[in-house]
Amino acid sequence: MAPVHASDLPPFHNEPFTDFSRPAQAEAFRAALARVRSQLGRSYPNAAGTRRFQLPATQSSTNPARPSEVIGVFPASGAAQADEALAAAEAAFPAWSARPWEERAAVLLRLASLLRRQKHDWSAWLVLEVGKTWAEADGDTAEAIDFCEWYAREALRYARGVDVVQTGDHNECFYVPLGPGVAIAPWNFPLAILCGMTVSALVTGNTVVMKPAEESPTVAWKLYEALLECGVPAGAVNLLTGPGEEVGARLVQSPVTRFVSFTGSKAVGLWITQAAAVVHPGQRWIKRVITELGGKDATVVDASADLEAAAAGVVAAAYGFSGQKCSACSRVIVHEAVYERFLPMVAEKARALVVGDPEDPRTQVGPVISHESHARIVAALGATAAEGRRLLGGGAVARDGWFVQPTVVADVAPASRLAQEELFGPVLAVLEARDWEHALAIANDTDYGLTGAVYSQDEAHLEDARKRFHVGNLYLNRKCTGALVGAQPFGGFRLSGTCSKAGGRDYLGLFLQQKSVARKVG
């Protein structure tokens, strides 16, 4: 395996998004959709070390826009398979961790190149398995490429170790990996997040068991195969599918597991944090837990704001991928001086969104992920019908698939369910604030602290938000979604997780520990 050195690499830059208005790019994407569609319905194994296996019990992923269409069929693994995969990861750890940093970084660069060459095919899988629109799928794939490129370069920086003071001894301090760990990924960014979680652990010398969400196993399997193709040995990376309550729970609780990297719901993340804190017989470490959880993200529209820009940014952030992003704008807090002017603007823009099958390039809002999600969101809207003034939407779309109407609810009280609970769907709550101080207080009055945005022309208010808007990712005069690797490290405060800052300078350190060595001189 040819190593890579920092001097060999150009400066990092984010992967460009595809311009689908160009006929050649649109035609290339249609061809990718056709290629992927020809592969639907296949059965795939799980992988523990060099062993690939099927099981009598299976689970299927389906197209949320066409629920009768099966994307992939996978084993429903459980505790026994979790133990086998962790044993394989443990056995592979000594050899993989001994590989030079430069060799492991080269693997990530090869993966980035592979993803770039096959970009439309990866995005097509995202359209069909989780219902992303063309643009949202393209962004997901671009972010996966960015993670590979960024973490490869970061690994070479971490390889240099830590600067320490020299005394009468010769002192050095360097990084060593943790051991075998688990990456439990969500369905809403099934390529980018799983890729980022996995390659960050691998490039730092750890071994990984990948556990994708039950809704998106096919994308995960394709990523697993790509990792092997790019030079990761079987065992250094493993893949299990199955119910989280069984296979996921065992992966978290096993004494072999050294770290758990999780992105998903607050409830599951808190359970993982608690379960991982228990030291089981045979366990010789305190497990490290890295979480990125939910959000109830707010955009503040100040009295001086450009209302047209604010309405456009709010709608883009609220309804992109049907609101199924932890960074999505689910609350907009509007100064009373512009409240009545802003309401029809945001409702009009939301009403103009094209709801439909994400395979259609005109679609702007696709389905939610599953029947369960659809039923939960519709039920919540019914239960909270009295919490505000419905301006738009409020229920299911009468068509095949798990579609929910883009919904705008005005006059929502800050303490209401609509203002406090994460619905993870295309629902926007609009709240009125008396003044700037009141707006900021409402924005901060939540269990979460992931993303936020402020639209204002008042420099004092923007600076005040910079200091006191308590979120991990704050955006001024732009939408609160779309963080870019390297530029806007992503991760939040409070119950939004451990503020791990994926795509940032500190992220790889979460998968490492420092070793200090002092040698007596003379």
Side-chain angles (χ1 to χ4, degrees), residues 105-152:
V107 170
L108 270 61
L109 296 174
R110 283 198 291 277
L111 180 59
S113 179
L114 182 150
L115 292 171
R116 195 176 286 116
R117 292 194 309 271
Q118 302 173 356
K119 190 176 186 181
H120 288 340
D121 290 73
W122 288 95
S123 297
W125 281 109
L126 296 168
V127 170
L128 295 172
E129 189 159 49
V130 298
K132 293 207 166 191
T133 62
W134 287 25
E136 292 283 352
D138 184 72
D140 195 322
T141 305
E143 186 173 28
I145 295 169
D146 284 349
F147 279 136
C148 293
E149 293 279 357
W150 177 259
Y151 292 143

Short mmCIF file of all heavy atoms in Angstrom, two decimals, residues 105-152:
data_model
loop_
_atom_site.label_atom_id
_atom_site.label_comp_id
_atom_site.label_asym_id
_atom_site.label_seq_id
_atom_site.Cartn_x
_atom_site.Cartn_y
_atom_site.Cartn_z
N ALA A 105 -4.03 6.95 5.70
CA ALA A 105 -4.54 8.15 5.03
C ALA A 105 -4.72 7.91 3.54
O ALA A 105 -5.68 8.41 2.93
CB ALA A 105 -3.60 9.33 5.27
N ALA A 106 -3.83 7.14 2.95
CA ALA A 106 -3.93 6.84 1.52
C ALA A 106 -5.22 6.07 1.20
O ALA A 106 -5.81 6.24 0.13
CB ALA A 106 -2.71 6.05 1.06
N VAL A 107 -5.65 5.23 2.12
CA VAL A 107 -6.91 4.50 1.92
C VAL A 107 -8.08 5.47 1.79
O VAL A 107 -8.94 5.32 0.92
CB VAL A 107 -7.15 3.52 3.09
CG1 VAL A 107 -8.55 2.93 3.01
CG2 VAL A 107 -6.11 2.41 3.07
N LEU A 108 -8.11 6.49 2.64
CA LEU A 108 -9.20 7.46 2.59
C LEU A 108 -9.19 8.24 1.28
O LEU A 108 -10.24 8.54 0.70
CB LEU A 108 -9.10 8.42 3.77
CG LEU A 108 -9.85 8.00 5.05
CD1 LEU A 108 -9.33 6.69 5.61
CD2 LEU A 108 -9.79 9.10 6.10
N LEU A 109 -8.01 8.56 0.80
CA LEU A 109 -7.93 9.29 -0.47
C LEU A 109 -8.38 8.43 -1.63
O LEU A 109 -9.01 8.92 -2.58
CB LEU A 109 -6.51 9.80 -0.69
CG LEU A 109 -6.03 10.83 0.35
CD1 LEU A 109 -4.56 11.16 0.13
CD2 LEU A 109 -6.88 12.10 0.29
N ARG A 110 -8.08 7.13 -1.57
CA ARG A 110 -8.59 6.23 -2.61
C ARG A 110 -10.11 6.14 -2.56
O ARG A 110 -10.78 6.10 -3.60
CB ARG A 110 -7.95 4.85 -2.48
CG ARG A 110 -6.52 4.79 -3.00
CD ARG A 110 -6.11 3.35 -3.25
NE ARG A 110 -5.96 2.60 -2.01
CZ ARG A 110 -4.86 2.62 -1.26
NH1 ARG A 110 -3.81 3.35 -1.63
NH2 ARG A 110 -4.78 1.92 -0.15
N LEU A 111 -10.65 6.11 -1.35
CA LEU A 111 -12.10 6.06 -1.22
C LEU A 111 -12.74 7.34 -1.75
O LEU A 111 -13.76 7.31 -2.44
CB LEU A 111 -12.50 5.84 0.25
CG LEU A 111 -14.00 5.78 0.53
CD1 LEU A 111 -14.67 4.66 -0.26
CD2 LEU A 111 -14.26 5.60 2.02
N ALA A 112 -12.14 8.48 -1.46
CA ALA A 112 -12.65 9.75 -1.99
C ALA A 112 -12.67 9.72 -3.51
O ALA A 112 -13.64 10.16 -4.15
CB ALA A 112 -11.81 10.92 -1.49
N SER A 113 -11.61 9.20 -4.10
CA SER A 113 -11.53 9.12 -5.56
C SER A 113 -12.60 8.20 -6.13
O SER A 113 -13.25 8.50 -7.14
CB SER A 113 -10.14 8.64 -5.97
OG SER A 113 -10.03 8.54 -7.37
N LEU A 114 -12.82 7.05 -5.46
CA LEU A 114 -13.85 6.12 -5.91
C LEU A 114 -15.23 6.77 -5.83
O LEU A 114 -16.04 6.67 -6.77
CB LEU A 114 -13.79 4.85 -5.07
CG LEU A 114 -14.76 3.71 -5.41
CD1 LEU A 114 -14.13 2.38 -5.04
CD2 LEU A 114 -16.09 3.87 -4.69
N LEU A 115 -15.53 7.41 -4.71
CA LEU A 115 -16.83 8.07 -4.56
C LEU A 115 -17.01 9.16 -5.62
O LEU A 115 -18.11 9.33 -6.16
CB LEU A 115 -16.95 8.68 -3.17
CG LEU A 115 -17.02 7.72 -1.99
CD1 LEU A 115 -16.91 8.47 -0.67
CD2 LEU A 115 -18.31 6.92 -2.02
N ARG A 116 -15.97 9.87 -5.91
CA ARG A 116 -16.06 10.95 -6.90
C ARG A 116 -16.33 10.39 -8.30
O ARG A 116 -17.15 10.92 -9.04
CB ARG A 116 -14.75 11.75 -6.87
CG ARG A 116 -14.83 13.10 -7.56
CD ARG A 116 -13.52 13.85 -7.39
NE ARG A 116 -13.35 14.37 -6.03
CZ ARG A 116 -12.39 13.99 -5.20
NH1 ARG A 116 -11.51 13.05 -5.54
NH2 ARG A 116 -12.31 14.53 -4.00
N ARG A 117 -15.66 9.29 -8.65
CA ARG A 117 -15.87 8.68 -9.97
C ARG A 117 -17.29 8.13 -10.12
O ARG A 117 -17.86 8.16 -11.20
CB ARG A 117 -14.87 7.54 -10.20
CG ARG A 117 -13.44 7.95 -10.36
CD ARG A 117 -12.60 6.81 -10.92
NE ARG A 117 -12.76 5.56 -10.19
CZ ARG A 117 -12.03 5.20 -9.13
NH1 ARG A 117 -11.10 6.04 -8.66
NH2 ARG A 117 -12.22 4.03 -8.54
N GLN A 118 -17.84 7.62 -9.02
CA GLN A 118 -19.15 6.98 -9.05
C GLN A 118 -20.22 7.85 -8.39
O GLN A 118 -21.25 7.35 -7.94
CB GLN A 118 -19.08 5.63 -8.32
CG GLN A 118 -18.05 4.68 -8.89
CD GLN A 118 -17.89 3.43 -8.02
OE1 GLN A 118 -18.49 3.31 -6.94
NE2 GLN A 118 -17.06 2.50 -8.47
N LYS A 119 -20.01 9.15 -8.39
CA LYS A 119 -20.82 10.06 -7.58
C LYS A 119 -22.32 9.91 -7.84
O LYS A 119 -23.13 9.81 -6.91
CB LYS A 119 -20.38 11.49 -7.85
CG LYS A 119 -20.98 12.53 -6.92
CD LYS A 119 -20.38 13.90 -7.21
CE LYS A 119 -20.85 14.94 -6.21
NZ LYS A 119 -20.31 16.28 -6.49
N HIS A 120 -22.73 9.89 -9.11
CA HIS A 120 -24.16 9.83 -9.40
C HIS A 120 -24.78 8.50 -8.98
O HIS A 120 -25.95 8.47 -8.56
CB HIS A 120 -24.40 10.08 -10.89
CG HIS A 120 -24.17 11.50 -11.31
ND1 HIS A 120 -24.17 12.55 -10.43
CD2 HIS A 120 -23.96 12.05 -12.54
CE1 HIS A 120 -23.96 13.68 -11.08
NE2 HIS A 120 -23.83 13.41 -12.36
N ASP A 121 -24.04 7.42 -9.07
CA ASP A 121 -24.59 6.14 -8.65
C ASP A 121 -24.84 6.11 -7.14
O ASP A 121 -25.88 5.62 -6.68
CB ASP A 121 -23.64 5.00 -9.05
CG ASP A 121 -23.61 4.78 -10.55
OD1 ASP A 121 -23.02 5.61 -11.27
OD2 ASP A 121 -24.19 3.77 -11.01
N TRP A 122 -23.89 6.64 -6.37
CA TRP A 122 -24.11 6.72 -4.92
C TRP A 122 -25.33 7.59 -4.61
O TRP A 122 -26.16 7.23 -3.76
CB TRP A 122 -22.87 7.30 -4.23
CG TRP A 122 -21.71 6.35 -4.22
CD1 TRP A 122 -20.69 6.28 -5.12
CD2 TRP A 122 -21.46 5.30 -3.27
NE1 TRP A 122 -19.82 5.27 -4.79
CE2 TRP A 122 -20.26 4.66 -3.66
CE3 TRP A 122 -22.11 4.86 -2.13
CZ2 TRP A 122 -19.72 3.59 -2.95
CZ3 TRP A 122 -21.58 3.79 -1.41
CH2 TRP A 122 -20.40 3.17 -1.82
N SER A 123 -25.43 8.71 -5.28
CA SER A 123 -26.58 9.59 -5.03
C SER A 123 -27.89 8.94 -5.45
O SER A 123 -28.92 9.14 -4.80
CB SER A 123 -26.38 10.91 -5.79
OG SER A 123 -25.24 11.60 -5.32
N ALA A 124 -27.86 8.15 -6.52
CA ALA A 124 -29.08 7.46 -6.95
C ALA A 124 -29.56 6.48 -5.89
O ALA A 124 -30.78 6.34 -5.65
CB ALA A 124 -28.83 6.75 -8.28
N TRP A 125 -28.63 5.77 -5.24
CA TRP A 125 -29.02 4.89 -4.14
C TRP A 125 -29.71 5.69 -3.03
O TRP A 125 -30.69 5.22 -2.42
CB TRP A 125 -27.81 4.17 -3.57
CG TRP A 125 -27.37 2.99 -4.38
CD1 TRP A 125 -26.24 2.87 -5.14
CD2 TRP A 125 -28.06 1.73 -4.52
NE1 TRP A 125 -26.18 1.65 -5.75
CE2 TRP A 125 -27.28 0.92 -5.38
CE3 TRP A 125 -29.24 1.22 -4.00
CZ2 TRP A 125 -27.66 -0.38 -5.73
CZ3 TRP A 125 -29.62 -0.07 -4.34
CH2 TRP A 125 -28.84 -0.86 -5.20
N LEU A 126 -29.23 6.89 -2.76
CA LEU A 126 -29.83 7.73 -1.72
C LEU A 126 -31.23 8.17 -2.10
O LEU A 126 -32.13 8.25 -1.25
CB LEU A 126 -28.94 8.95 -1.46
CG LEU A 126 -27.55 8.65 -0.90
CD1 LEU A 126 -26.67 9.90 -0.97
CD2 LEU A 126 -27.64 8.14 0.52
N VAL A 127 -31.45 8.48 -3.37
CA VAL A 127 -32.78 8.84 -3.83
C VAL A 127 -33.76 7.70 -3.59
O VAL A 127 -34.87 7.89 -3.08
CB VAL A 127 -32.75 9.22 -5.33
CG1 VAL A 127 -34.17 9.36 -5.90
CG2 VAL A 127 -31.98 10.52 -5.55
N LEU A 128 -33.34 6.49 -3.93
CA LEU A 128 -34.26 5.35 -3.90
C LEU A 128 -34.42 4.75 -2.50
O LEU A 128 -35.52 4.30 -2.15
CB LEU A 128 -33.79 4.28 -4.88
CG LEU A 128 -33.83 4.70 -6.35
CD1 LEU A 128 -33.17 3.65 -7.23
CD2 LEU A 128 -35.27 4.92 -6.80
N GLU A 129 -33.35 4.73 -1.71
CA GLU A 129 -33.48 4.07 -0.40
C GLU A 129 -34.03 4.97 0.68
O GLU A 129 -34.74 4.49 1.58
CB GLU A 129 -32.13 3.47 0.04
CG GLU A 129 -32.27 2.59 1.27
CD GLU A 129 -31.15 1.61 1.47
OE1 GLU A 129 -29.97 2.04 1.40
OE2 GLU A 129 -31.42 0.42 1.69
N VAL A 130 -33.72 6.27 0.65
CA VAL A 130 -34.21 7.14 1.73
C VAL A 130 -35.03 8.33 1.23
O VAL A 130 -35.47 9.15 2.03
CB VAL A 130 -33.05 7.65 2.62
CG1 VAL A 130 -32.36 6.48 3.30
CG2 VAL A 130 -32.06 8.51 1.85
N GLY A 131 -35.25 8.44 -0.08
CA GLY A 131 -36.15 9.46 -0.60
C GLY A 131 -35.56 10.84 -0.71
O GLY A 131 -36.29 11.84 -0.66
N LYS A 132 -34.25 10.96 -0.91
CA LYS A 132 -33.65 12.28 -1.09
C LYS A 132 -33.91 12.80 -2.50
O LYS A 132 -33.94 12.03 -3.46
CB LYS A 132 -32.13 12.22 -0.83
CG LYS A 132 -31.78 11.92 0.60
CD LYS A 132 -30.43 12.49 1.01
CE LYS A 132 -30.30 12.48 2.52
NZ LYS A 132 -29.14 13.23 3.00
N THR A 133 -34.09 14.11 -2.61
CA THR A 133 -34.17 14.73 -3.93
C THR A 133 -32.78 14.70 -4.57
O THR A 133 -31.78 14.40 -3.92
CB THR A 133 -34.63 16.19 -3.83
OG1 THR A 133 -33.67 16.93 -3.06
CG2 THR A 133 -36.00 16.28 -3.16
N TRP A 134 -32.73 15.02 -5.85
CA TRP A 134 -31.44 14.99 -6.55
C TRP A 134 -30.40 15.85 -5.82
O TRP A 134 -29.28 15.41 -5.59
CB TRP A 134 -31.62 15.51 -7.98
CG TRP A 134 -32.32 14.60 -8.92
CD1 TRP A 134 -33.22 13.61 -8.61
CD2 TRP A 134 -32.19 14.60 -10.34
NE1 TRP A 134 -33.66 13.01 -9.75
CE2 TRP A 134 -33.05 13.58 -10.83
CE3 TRP A 134 -31.46 15.34 -11.25
CZ2 TRP A 134 -33.18 13.31 -12.19
CZ3 TRP A 134 -31.58 15.08 -12.61
CH2 TRP A 134 -32.43 14.07 -13.08
N ALA A 135 -30.77 17.08 -5.48
CA ALA A 135 -29.81 18.00 -4.87
C ALA A 135 -29.40 17.53 -3.48
O ALA A 135 -28.22 17.61 -3.12
CB ALA A 135 -30.41 19.41 -4.80
N GLU A 136 -30.37 17.04 -2.69
CA GLU A 136 -30.04 16.57 -1.35
C GLU A 136 -29.13 15.34 -1.40
O GLU A 136 -28.20 15.20 -0.61
CB GLU A 136 -31.32 16.25 -0.57
CG GLU A 136 -32.16 17.46 -0.22
CD GLU A 136 -31.61 18.26 0.94
OE1 GLU A 136 -30.65 17.80 1.59
OE2 GLU A 136 -32.15 19.36 1.20
N ALA A 137 -29.39 14.43 -2.34
CA ALA A 137 -28.55 13.25 -2.49
C ALA A 137 -27.15 13.63 -2.91
O ALA A 137 -26.15 13.10 -2.41
CB ALA A 137 -29.18 12.29 -3.48
N ASP A 138 -27.05 14.55 -3.86
CA ASP A 138 -25.75 15.00 -4.33
C ASP A 138 -24.94 15.64 -3.19
O ASP A 138 -23.73 15.42 -3.07
CB ASP A 138 -25.95 16.00 -5.47
CG ASP A 138 -24.65 16.46 -6.09
OD1 ASP A 138 -24.00 15.66 -6.79
OD2 ASP A 138 -24.27 17.63 -5.87
N GLY A 139 -25.63 16.39 -2.33
CA GLY A 139 -24.95 16.99 -1.19
C GLY A 139 -24.45 15.96 -0.20
O GLY A 139 -23.37 16.11 0.39
N ASP A 140 -25.22 14.90 0.00
CA ASP A 140 -24.83 13.82 0.89
C ASP A 140 -23.55 13.15 0.39
O ASP A 140 -22.59 12.94 1.14
CB ASP A 140 -25.99 12.80 0.96
CG ASP A 140 -25.88 11.82 2.11
OD1 ASP A 140 -24.76 11.39 2.43
OD2 ASP A 140 -26.92 11.46 2.67
N THR A 141 -23.52 12.84 -0.90
CA THR A 141 -22.34 12.19 -1.48
C THR A 141 -21.13 13.12 -1.44
O THR A 141 -20.01 12.69 -1.13
CB THR A 141 -22.63 11.75 -2.92
OG1 THR A 141 -23.79 10.92 -2.93
CG2 THR A 141 -21.46 10.98 -3.50
N ALA A 142 -21.35 14.39 -1.73
CA ALA A 142 -20.24 15.35 -1.68
C ALA A 142 -19.65 15.44 -0.28
O ALA A 142 -18.43 15.53 -0.10
CB ALA A 142 -20.73 16.73 -2.13
N GLU A 143 -20.51 15.38 0.74
CA GLU A 143 -20.02 15.46 2.11
C GLU A 143 -19.20 14.22 2.47
O GLU A 143 -18.19 14.32 3.18
CB GLU A 143 -21.18 15.63 3.08
CG GLU A 143 -20.70 15.88 4.51
CD GLU A 143 -21.83 16.21 5.46
OE1 GLU A 143 -22.98 15.77 5.23
OE2 GLU A 143 -21.56 16.91 6.46
N ALA A 144 -19.60 13.05 1.98
CA ALA A 144 -18.81 11.84 2.22
C ALA A 144 -17.41 12.00 1.62
O ALA A 144 -16.40 11.61 2.24
CB ALA A 144 -19.51 10.62 1.63
N ILE A 145 -17.33 12.53 0.42
CA ILE A 145 -16.03 12.78 -0.21
C ILE A 145 -15.22 13.76 0.63
O ILE A 145 -14.02 13.55 0.89
CB ILE A 145 -16.23 13.33 -1.64
CG1 ILE A 145 -16.90 12.27 -2.52
CG2 ILE A 145 -14.90 13.78 -2.25
CD1 ILE A 145 -17.38 12.79 -3.86
N ASP A 146 -15.88 14.82 1.10
CA ASP A 146 -15.19 15.80 1.93
C ASP A 146 -14.62 15.18 3.20
O ASP A 146 -13.49 15.47 3.61
CB ASP A 146 -16.15 16.92 2.32
CG ASP A 146 -16.41 17.91 1.19
OD1 ASP A 146 -15.70 17.85 0.17
OD2 ASP A 146 -17.33 18.75 1.35
N PHE A 147 -15.40 14.31 3.85
CA PHE A 147 -14.90 13.67 5.07
C PHE A 147 -13.63 12.86 4.78
O PHE A 147 -12.66 12.91 5.56
CB PHE A 147 -15.97 12.75 5.67
CG PHE A 147 -17.01 13.47 6.50
CD1 PHE A 147 -18.36 13.15 6.36
CD2 PHE A 147 -16.64 14.43 7.43
CE1 PHE A 147 -19.32 13.79 7.13
CE2 PHE A 147 -17.60 15.08 8.20
CZ PHE A 147 -18.94 14.76 8.05
N CYS A 148 -13.63 12.13 3.70
CA CYS A 148 -12.44 11.33 3.36
C CYS A 148 -11.23 12.22 3.12
O CYS A 148 -10.13 11.96 3.63
CB CYS A 148 -12.72 10.47 2.13
SG CYS A 148 -13.95 9.17 2.38
N GLU A 149 -11.42 13.26 2.33
CA GLU A 149 -10.30 14.16 2.02
C GLU A 149 -9.81 14.90 3.27
O GLU A 149 -8.60 15.03 3.50
CB GLU A 149 -10.75 15.17 0.95
CG GLU A 149 -11.04 14.57 -0.42
CD GLU A 149 -9.78 14.34 -1.24
OE1 GLU A 149 -8.68 14.71 -0.77
OE2 GLU A 149 -9.89 13.82 -2.37
N TRP A 150 -10.76 15.38 4.08
CA TRP A 150 -10.39 16.16 5.26
C TRP A 150 -9.69 15.29 6.30
O TRP A 150 -8.63 15.66 6.82
CB TRP A 150 -11.64 16.80 5.86
CG TRP A 150 -11.41 17.56 7.12
CD1 TRP A 150 -11.68 17.15 8.39
CD2 TRP A 150 -10.84 18.88 7.24
NE1 TRP A 150 -11.32 18.10 9.31
CE2 TRP A 150 -10.80 19.18 8.63
CE3 TRP A 150 -10.37 19.82 6.34
CZ2 TRP A 150 -10.31 20.39 9.11
CZ3 TRP A 150 -9.87 21.02 6.82
CH2 TRP A 150 -9.84 21.29 8.19
N TYR A 151 -10.26 14.13 6.61
CA TYR A 151 -9.67 13.29 7.66
C TYR A 151 -8.35 12.68 7.23
O TYR A 151 -7.49 12.40 8.07
CB TYR A 151 -10.66 12.21 8.10
CG TYR A 151 -11.88 12.76 8.82
CD1 TYR A 151 -13.13 12.18 8.64
CD2 TYR A 151 -11.78 13.84 9.69
CE1 TYR A 151 -14.25 12.66 9.30
CE2 TYR A 151 -12.88 14.34 10.34
CZ TYR A 151 -14.12 13.75 10.16
OH TYR A 151 -15.23 14.24 10.81
N ALA A 152 -8.14 12.46 5.93
CA ALA A 152 -6.83 11.99 5.47
C ALA A 152 -5.76 13.03 5.79
O ALA A 152 -4.68 12.70 6.30
CB ALA A 152 -6.87 11.71 3.97
#
